[in-house]
Amino acid sequence: MAPRDALNCDLLLVDDDPLVVTLLETVIAKRAGLTVQAFATLDEAVPPLRSAASSQRGTLPKAIIVDWNLRKRTAREFISWVRMSSTMGHLPIYAISASDDDRLVKQAIEA
């Protein structure tokens, strides 16, 4: 596994539910043949992503999956930060949630 301070993966996954992480890692890695680097919080994920974006260490992922309902920092704030970046703005971002709240779905689409 890559060091936690360097990104070297096809897919960056941020979710605080270990079961979801295990499920997605298994399905994506085994079925799609992609490498996954998972983090439980945005506080853990942002520094290596920032470093990869500035070409200081690691490489940018091909896509990002983020849990919309993270506890500390919001996925909306994170997605906006990625979108404003000249080096990361092109990355596909998939927001996932167990919630069926239509307001949250609208917010995720708008982000």
Side-chain angles (χ1 to χ4, degrees):
M1 177 180 236
R4 300 295 289 167
D5 62 342
L7 285 181
N8 292 299
C9 60
D10 296 315
L11 180 70
L12 172 67
L13 171 61
V14 185
D15 198 306
D16 53 7
D17 185 334
L19 183 60
V20 171
V21 169
T22 300
L23 175 66
L24 288 174
E25 282 180 324
T26 301
V27 169
I28 292 167
K30 289 187 178 177
R31 302 233 174 156
L34 300 174
T35 57
V36 179
Q37 197 161 347
F39 297 90
T41 69
L42 289 170
D43 289 339
E44 294 174 358
V46 167
L49 185 58
R50 181 179 286 132
S51 182
S54 65
S55 300
Q56 293 176 359
R57 185 169 184 177
T59 57
L60 285 174
K62 294 176 183 170
I64 299 170
I65 296 178
V66 61
D67 179 1
W68 187 255
N69 294 314
L70 291 168
R71 292 185 187 113
K72 290 185 179 182
R73 295 173 68 183
T74 68
R76 183 179 206 161
E77 170 189 335
F78 171 73
I79 292 169
S80 295
W81 172 70
V82 171
R83 290 285 173 249
M84 290 188 309
S85 168
S86 62
T87 56
M88 297 183 293
H90 68 284
L91 294 174
I93 301 174
Y94 303 93
I96 59 174
S97 175
S99 174
D100 63 356
D101 185 334
D102 289 341
R103 291 175 303 135
L104 295 178
V105 172
K106 184 178 179 188
Q107 288 175 358
I109 291 169
E110 290 172 352

